[in-house]
Amino acid sequence: MAIQPASPTPSIFRKKSTPTLSTAASYLSAVSEADARARAHGGTPNSTPALSLSSSVTSSSEDTVLHEKEESNDDGLVYPKVPPTSEQVFTTVHTEFGHCANDTYRYTSQYNPTRPVKGVPEQDPPYYILLTTYISYLLVICFGHLRDFFGKRLKVADYRHLLAHDGFAALNSDFDSFYTRRLKLRIDDCFSHPVTGVPGRTIVLLDRYSPNYNKTMVPSGGKTRGLNVSSYNYLGFAQSKGGCTDADVESIKRYGLSACGSRRECATLDLHLQAEALVARFLGMEDALISSMGFATNSTVIPALVSKGCLVISDELNHASIRFGVRLSGANVRMFKHNDMKSLEALLREVISQGQPKTHRPWKKILVIVEGLYSMEGTLVKLPEIMELKKKYKFYLFIDEAHSIGALGPHGRGVCDYYNVNPRTVDILMGTFTKSFGAAGGYIAGNRDLINRLRLSGHSGAYAEAMAPPILSQVMASMASIMGITLPRAEKSSPSRGLLVRHSDSTLTITPEEPPAYPGNALASWLPPWMPTPESMCDGSDSRMRLRRLAFNTRYLNRGLRKLGFITYGHDDSPVVPLLLFNPGKMAVFSRMMRTRATPIFVVVVAYPATPLVTSRVRFCLSASHTKEDIDTILQASDEIGDILDLKQGLGERWPLQEIIARAVELVNMEEVP
C-alpha cells in the first residue's frame, strides 16, 4: 500500500529542450517549410505531444525543427514558442491557451428537446474489484490500529498529541484522526501541490520530496511544467495577456489592488453596481447581488431565505456550502435521491400532505435546492422535469450554478441556456466567478424585491469583504466577452474605438442601441468607459470559439474514455470527467504515473470523505484552452496506465486508441454512443 516518495534526484522523464537555430534566415526558412507541409497535409495529424506547443495548423511529427524558438519565462523555465502559419495570427500564449484553428474541432453544448432527459447510468465494477478494495481498507485499518496500540507504549514522544499529559486531555483522538494519519498520509504527495504561474493549458509545479514518509514536504528547488487538467479554468480566461488582463491592469491603475472592508463599512464603488447590473443582464434576471466568496454566498444567503417553519428539500449530493447554510437557517431539511425525479415527487407528496412535524400545519414555504452541474459526479440537473414538478407542486426553486454557468449552453448562460428554459421561471440562481470567469466570489440573482431583501438580511452584505476592483474588472470583462458588446450606432464604423475606450474617461453622449433581449449582447454603456474592448470581445467571436472548443473537448474525452473501457460518471457535456479508480492504492499510483510521464499530466484524485469510501476517482477538469492533441495525449496516457492498473472494467463496445483519435469528430457528433 505504501509507496516510497519520490527522491530529489532529477527525473529521467523531464522533457529536453530543442537546440536553437543559428540564424534568422534558417528560422524563417523552417517556418515556410512547415507552412507548406501543413497545407499539403490538408488537416491535423492524429496525435502530437501536448507540450510540443505546436498549433493545430502547424503541428506535425516532422516539424520538430520549429521548436527552436525559445524564450525564458518569469518562472525560470525555458519552453518553445512556435510561430503560427501565415494564415493564422494568434494573440494568446500557447502554453496558456492552445492554438487551434481547425473548425471541425468545435461543438455546441445544447440539449436536444426531441429526446427525453435521461440520466447517465452508473456502472458497477466486477465483484473482485470491490472485494480487493474492501480488503485494502481492512488491511490499512488493522495494521493502523496495531501501530497505534504499540506506538503509544513504545514511542510515547511520537504519539504525545494523542495522549493525555500534564493534566491536559489529548489534543486529538486517535480514532477521529485515524483516516488522516493512516491513509491520507500515505498518498499525501498527490495532494496540495504548490504551483506557480498562470493555471492555463499548462501549469508549473514546484517539485518537492519527503524525507519522512510524507509527514513533511521539502521543496527541491526544481520546477516541472505539465499539461493542466486540474483547474476549473473552463473557458480558458486564466491568461497573462488579452482583453481581460488589459482590463485588470487598467483597474489596478485606477482603483488599486485591495478592497476596503465590507460593503457597509465603505462607499460602494461604481464597479460594484455595474458588475451587479451586468450579472443580472447576463443571467436574464431582474437584479443580482455579488459576494466576495463563493462558499459564503450559499452559507449566508440561505438563512435569509428560509427559517424555522420552512422546509428545504435538497439533493443528497449538494455541496457542503448548501448543507452548511441550511443548518444555519434552522429550517427543516429533507433529501431526495440524487437527480431522481420520482424520488423528489414522492417526497413532495409526502411533505405537502403531512405538513410540519407534530403540529401538521402547512409549511411557511418549501424551497428545493439543486445544482446545475454536480462537480464530483459530472451529472447535469434534469431541469425540464423539475420545472414540470414546480408548476404542479408550487415550490420555490434554488439552482446552484457554480460549475455550469459559463460552461454550458450555446451562449454560456448555464443550465437554463442549455435546456432552453426561461431563467425567470427559476426563483433563485446562484453561481460563482471562480470557474468559468477566472475571478473570485459569487452571486445571487432573482427578482428585484427578493434581491433588495437579501441586501438587508443576508450576512454577506453586512459582514463579508467587498470584492476588490481587479476581480470586478475580470468578472465584467470575461462576462462581456461571452455576451459580446453592442457599440453605440455612431461608433460602429469608427476605427478609433479602441483608443477612445482606453483613454477616455468621459461619459459617452451618443445614443446607444436599444437593450437587447436575453441572451443578447451587452451594451457599451453597461461597462466602464475606460475598459479596453478588443474587436474579438465586441463581436463575441472569441468566446463563441471558447464555448465550442470546451464542448468538443468534454464530449471527446468523456466518450473516448468510455470507448477505451473505463468506468466514468457524468453527462457527456460535463467539463468535469470523473474516472473511477475504486482501490485507494490506485489513486496514488495513477497520479504519480501521470505526473512522471515524458509529457507530465497533472490531475486531481478525489477520495473519502469527498466521495463514498469505495468510489475513489480521478477528475479531469477540461478547458477551452486545451487542444485536440492535448485530449489525445490524455487518452493515450490513460490507456497505458489503465492497462497496468486494471482500470478498464466498463461495459459497452470498445474501440482501439488509434481509431478513437482518428474518428474523434464522428465520436463527438454522435447522438448516442453504443
Side-chain angles (χ1 to χ4, degrees):
M1 176 70 188
I3 299 178
Q4 182 67 25
S7 66
T9 57
S11 172
I12 63 173
F13 300 100
R14 193 63 54 84
K15 202 172 186 66
K16 297 182 179 179
S17 61
T18 310
T20 60
L21 296 182
S22 56
T23 65
S26 60
Y27 175 80
L28 293 176
S29 175
V31 173
S32 177
E33 292 172 4
D35 192 33
R37 283 196 298 269
R39 291 201 211 107
H41 292 161
T44 305
N46 288 338
S47 64
T48 189
L51 295 186
S52 69
L53 306 185
S54 56
S55 78
S56 7
V57 179
T58 62
S59 59
S60 174
S61 59
E62 60 189 29
D63 288 344
T64 55
V65 69
L66 287 182
H67 299 169
E68 79 296 330
K69 180 67 174 176
E70 299 186 350
E71 63 178 19
S72 297
N73 242 8
D74 293 337
D75 52 33
L77 292 181
V78 177
Y79 57 93
K81 177 185 178 182
V82 180
T85 66
S86 57
E87 299 173 358
Q88 276 292 329
V89 177
F90 296 100
T91 59
T92 55
V93 180
H94 192 51
T95 54
E96 298 173 359
F97 193 89
H99 296 164
C100 178
N102 194 333
D103 286 336
T104 60
Y105 300 151
R106 306 287 190 268
Y107 187 79
T108 300
S109 169
Q110 190 171 17
Y111 166 68
N112 184 355
T114 62
R115 306 183 68 88
V117 182
K118 295 194 303 183
V120 179
E122 296 183 357
Q123 297 184 29
D124 293 324
Y127 285 117
Y128 81 90
I129 295 291
L130 291 176
L131 180 62
T132 53
T133 300
Y134 281 114
I135 292 175
S136 298
Y137 281 110
L138 183 62
L139 290 175
V140 170
I141 291 172
C142 292
F143 282 103
H145 282 298
L146 284 174
R147 292 183 65 184
D148 283 350
F149 178 81
F150 289 106
K152 290 179 183 179
R153 290 156 178 80
L154 302 178
K155 294 183 178 181
V156 177
D158 294 340
Y159 287 81
R160 185 177 178 84
H161 63 293
L162 299 177
L163 298 172
H165 60 90
D166 300 329
F168 291 95
L171 187 61
N172 298 106
S173 165
D174 57 348
F175 183 80
D176 292 340
S177 62
F178 182 85
Y179 177 84
T180 304
R181 292 182 295 107
R182 294 305 180 200
L183 180 61
K184 182 178 179 295
L185 185 66
R186 292 171 175 262
I187 58 176
D188 217 25
D189 65 309
C190 299
F191 304 113
S192 306
H193 262 287
V195 299
T196 183
V198 177
R201 169 179 171 252
T202 65
I203 197 170
V204 178
L205 227 63
L206 301 181
D207 297 335
R208 60 182 185 171
Y209 68 97
S210 176
N212 50 11
Y213 297 97
N214 293 338
K215 290 183 180 179
T216 57
M217 295 290 178
V218 180
S220 65
K223 299 178 182 179
T224 302
R225 180 179 289 277
L227 188 62
N228 179 24
V229 282
S230 59
S231 300
Y232 294 136
N233 182 30
Y234 294 145
L235 292 182
F237 282 121
Q239 297 174 210
S240 61
K241 60 183 296 186
C244 294
T245 305
D246 293 340
D248 296 341
V249 172
E250 190 66 26
S251 173
I252 292 172
K253 292 178 181 178
R254 293 170 179 270
Y255 296 96
L257 284 169
S258 61
C260 55
S262 68
R263 294 281 291 274
R264 290 186 180 180
E265 291 175 356
C266 65
T268 298
L269 298 176
D270 56 341
L271 283 180
H272 290 99
L273 301 179
Q274 286 178 304
E276 290 179 339
L278 186 63
V279 169
R281 295 280 189 174
F282 180 82
L283 299 170
M285 304 295 272
E286 288 186 9
D287 203 356
L289 171 67
I290 61 176
S291 173
S292 59
M293 182 180 177
F295 189 99
T297 305
N298 274 333
S299 58
T300 60
V301 164
I302 292 177
L305 294 172
V306 291
S307 59
K308 187 177 180 181
C310 301
L311 175 67
V312 173
I313 299 180
S314 175
D315 189 290
E316 65 178 353
L317 296 184
N318 274 346
H319 192 262
S321 61
I322 297 175
R323 295 168 178 261
F324 187 69
V326 172
R327 285 199 296 268
L328 289 178
S329 70
N332 290 71
V333 59
R334 297 287 298 273
M335 291 192 295
F336 65 94
K337 190 176 179 181
H338 173 57
N339 227 12
D340 189 331
M341 296 302 104
K342 292 183 179 180
S343 172
L344 174 59
E345 183 171 18
L347 182 57
L348 284 167
R349 287 176 176 271
E350 176 190 342
V351 297
I352 292 175
S353 62
Q354 297 299 317
Q356 299 185 40
K358 297 182 180 179
T359 63
H360 299 290
R361 293 178 179 175
W363 298 101
K364 293 181 180 178
K365 68 182 78 167
I366 297 177
L367 179 66
V368 174
I369 303 181
V370 294
E371 293 187 37
L373 169 62
Y374 295 84
S375 62
M376 286 296 171
E377 309 295 319
T379 51
L380 300 183
V381 64
K382 298 179 180 178
L383 188 58
E385 295 184 22
I386 289 185
M387 298 309 297
E388 292 298 323
L389 293 177
K390 186 177 186 297
K391 294 177 183 178
K392 185 175 181 180
Y393 293 101
K394 310 298 181 185
F395 54 79
Y396 294 99
L397 180 60
F398 182 114
I399 302 181
D400 180 338
E401 288 207 90
H403 289 268
S404 56
I405 191 65
L408 293 176
H411 308 95
R413 274 19 178 230
V415 291
C416 291
D417 186 26
Y418 179 83
Y419 287 110
N420 195 25
V421 172
N422 186 348
R424 297 205 178 187
T425 59
V426 178
D427 300 290
I428 305 157
L429 289 175
M430 176 270 172
T432 62
F433 304 122
T434 55
K435 279 78 177 179
S436 298
F437 306 103
Y443 66 82
I444 289 286
N447 65 63
R448 186 165 287 106
D449 292 337
L450 172 66
I451 298 302
N452 287 337
R453 173 69 179 178
L454 293 179
R455 294 185 199 278
L456 298 175
S457 55
H459 291 170
S460 60
Y463 304 111
E465 290 285 336
M467 292 179 69
I471 298 177
L472 290 168
S473 299
Q474 172 71 18
V475 170
M476 297 175 70
S478 58
M479 196 167 282
S481 177
I482 298 173
M483 300 172 73
I485 302 172
T486 299
L487 301 179
R489 281 188 293 268
E491 293 186 11
K492 283 188 174 181
S493 59
S494 174
S496 59
R497 167 65 185 170
L499 295 176
L500 174 66
V501 179
R502 285 178 183 273
H503 302 295
S504 174
D505 292 330
S506 60
T507 304
L508 299 177
T509 58
I510 304 172
T511 304
E513 298 289 343
E514 291 297 324
Y518 173 85
N521 294 354
L523 296 180
S525 57
W526 298 350
L527 303 174
W530 48 262
M531 181 172 287
T533 53
E535 183 179 352
S536 61
M537 181 185 294
C538 292
D539 60 21
S541 60
D542 178 65
S543 290
R544 283 195 298 271
M545 176 269 294
R546 292 172 185 263
L547 288 166
R548 300 189 69 214
R549 279 183 61 173
L550 174 63
F552 178 89
N553 292 341
T554 57
R555 289 175 75 88
Y556 179 33
L557 180 61
N558 218 323
R559 293 181 167 186
L561 289 173
R562 289 175 184 165
K563 282 298 184 183
L564 286 174
F566 291 99
I567 297 178
T568 64
Y569 285 172
H571 198 279
D572 288 347
D573 292 324
S574 166
V576 180
V577 183
L579 186 154
L580 274 293
L581 302 177
F582 299 105
N583 195 292
K586 293 180 181 180
M587 287 190 296
V589 178
F590 190 95
S591 176
R592 292 165 185 163
M593 292 182 73
M594 281 285 196
R595 197 170 64 241
T596 55
R597 292 180 63 83
T599 299
I601 302 174
F602 303 140
V603 299
V604 176
V605 290
V606 188
Y608 177 86
T611 66
L613 193 64
V614 297
T615 57
S616 304
R617 65 200 66 177
V618 56
R619 291 192 307 161
F620 298 102
C621 303
L622 296 177
S623 169
S625 64
H626 294 132
T627 64
K628 191 260 184 184
E629 290 82 12
D630 295 338
I631 309 301
D632 293 343
T633 303
I634 297 171
L635 288 172
Q636 182 179 0
S638 301
D639 184 47
E640 296 172 3
I641 298 174
D643 288 333
I644 296 173
L645 300 183
D646 191 23
L647 297 176
K648 298 180 179 179
Q649 305 296 339
L651 304 176
E653 180 188 1
R654 297 190 184 185
W655 291 2
L657 175 64
Q658 293 305 318
E659 183 179 356
I660 293 174
I661 293 175
R663 300 173 61 185
V665 176
E666 176 189 347
L667 185 64
V668 167
N669 288 285
M670 287 181 179
E671 282 290 338
E672 287 189 5
V673 179

